[in-house]
Amino acid sequence: MSEPVSALRGESYDGHIRVEEAGLRGMITVRGDLSSEAVARAVGEVSGVEVPGPNAANASDARGLCWMSPDELLLLVPHAEAGETLRRLSDALAGEHALVVDVSDARATFRLTGAPVREVLAKLTPADVSPGVFELGAFRRTRLAQVPAAIWMRDAQTAEVVCFRSVARYMFDLLATAARPGGEVGYF
Amino acid sequence: MLILHCPNCGVDADETELAPGGEAHLTREGPGSSDEEFEQYLFLRENPRGVHFERWRHAMGCGKWFHAARCTTTMEVFGTYPAQTSEPPQEIRDRISDRRPGWRWRELS
């Protein structure tokens, strides 16, 4: 099989924060009744973490669960394991009213690193990203400029942006422009 | 600029994250309805100056529909409530009555 490549092949930009494409991620969309014990158990077993609450992610580096909507989760796994995980999850959810789809190659992920990371996000999104509201581990779907995206606060100086692969170039240019030296606002 | 609280995911969503869905609580007339009823469903809309009920979709967020009650002149939001209802909950109506005594909207008051 051909070699899988990420949308921008790990391109990066160093401004007053560092913007880099985070490379390939295994991503599986899970749709189902999240309040159902059977669904929660199956998803928990396969992912190894508990189902997160609304607008939060329960994930370490490349593994875990992100809350997408009242009936949707995003399961993160290393890219090479996506196919196998999908099979295991489909088996675990057999008989349940649920849907699992491998969306790994339909997404692009960007990692933002640096102290003013909230500022760069705040330039592009209407979401409130201030420290008291957008806490560590928070995961929120919103828009960045003209495209939908999910933003995730990994730690005090790291955020991640997940968007559609088709808009990866737009997203990278957008983030890089917002991170250009001289563009510091100093609000947060 | 409107900020509506999405009752599905619990975030305060900016208007630019939302997609408007037109007037709320329409009765969908189907086969067997009279011409007048069908015209009402398809074409006739409220265009009030004041209290209004609308449908919105959190398009760039959780993707779910919800209802909102707001004032079209002051942009005051009286509240948002789930989409799975054919009329506004009493709590929302009470809040509107507090703020706009004597309000009317279609057959609601």
Side-chain angles (χ1 to χ4, degrees):
Chain A
M1 202 177 134
S2 52
E3 188 70 23
V5 290
S6 66
L8 303 179
R9 300 184 182 230
E11 197 169 322
S12 68
Y13 173 82
D14 286 291
H16 66 278
I17 66 164
R18 179 177 168 81
V19 179
E20 60 184 323
E21 202 220 355
L24 292 166
R25 280 280 173 77
M27 292 187 184
I28 294 169
T29 286
V30 186
R31 279 223 177 218
D33 179 2
L34 302 187
S35 60
S36 144
E37 211 170 287
V39 171
R41 194 174 341 108
V43 174
E45 263 172 31
V46 173
S47 65
V49 295
E50 276 186 28
V51 175
N55 304 306
N58 195 359
S60 62
D61 195 32
R63 278 172 202 279
L65 288 170
C66 309
W67 191 93
M68 298 289 275
S69 86
D71 61 358
E72 183 179 343
L73 293 170
L74 186 68
L75 172 57
L76 303 178
V77 288
H79 189 266
E81 293 175 26
E84 173 59 22
T85 309
L86 184 75
R87 266 189 299 280
R88 277 172 53 213
L89 193 54
S90 305
D91 291 346
L93 286 168
E96 293 299 319
H97 183 64
L99 182 77
V100 286
V101 179
D102 183 356
V103 295
S104 312
D105 301 326
R107 299 278 186 277
T109 313
F110 297 91
R111 189 180 298 118
L112 316 179
T113 345
V117 68
R118 289 177 191 275
E119 251 175 38
V120 170
L121 289 173
K123 286 185 191 180
L124 301 170
T125 172
D128 188 351
V129 292
S130 54
V133 180
F134 197 63
E135 294 285 2
L136 304 190
F139 185 95
R140 187 184 191 303
R141 287 171 74 186
T142 177
R143 70 177 174 90
L144 294 188
Q146 300 187 44
V147 293
I151 51 178
W152 177 17
M153 210 62 199
R154 300 292 301 262
D155 61 52
Q157 304 210 349
T158 315
E160 271 185 25
V161 172
V162 180
C163 66
F164 288 115
R165 185 182 175 122
S166 55
V167 294
R169 169 53 60 189
Y170 174 82
M171 183 63 80
F172 181 83
D173 290 349
L174 203 62
L175 292 166
T177 306
R180 260 190 352 216
E184 300 89 344
V185 181
Y187 183 72
F188 293 117
Chain B
M1 189 69 83
L2 275 173
I3 293 179
L4 299 178
H5 179 82
C6 174
N8 300 305
C9 66
V11 307
D12 292 325
D14 183 86
E15 187 180 339
T16 55
E17 270 185 43
L18 305 167
E23 187 175 322
H25 309 309
L26 295 174
T27 302
R28 183 172 184 161
E29 304 291 347
S33 59
S34 68
D35 286 354
E36 287 72 28
E37 285 168 339
F38 195 72
E39 184 197 20
Q40 178 73 33
Y41 155 59
L42 201 57
F43 297 115
L44 303 185
R45 293 291 180 270
E46 291 294 295
N47 186 19
R49 192 169 65 183
V51 175
H52 197 25
F53 295 88
E54 291 171 323
R55 299 166 73 231
W56 288 88
R57 192 171 83 88
H58 196 185
M60 295 214 185
C62 66
K64 305 291 179 203
W65 286 95
F66 61 92
H67 283 129
R70 69 177 180 102
C71 174
T72 57
T73 45
T74 63
M75 300 294 252
E76 176 177 358
V77 178
F78 302 113
T80 55
Y81 50 101
Q84 291 75 19
T85 175
S86 55
E87 57 178 51
Q90 194 57 45
E91 177 204 354
I92 298 280
R93 295 193 203 192
D94 290 346
R95 213 171 303 154
I96 299 173
S97 298
D98 275 353
R99 304 284 304 161
R100 301 281 187 282
W103 65 279
R104 290 194 66 78
W105 186 84
R106 290 191 180 258
E107 68 280 10
L108 302 171
S109 59

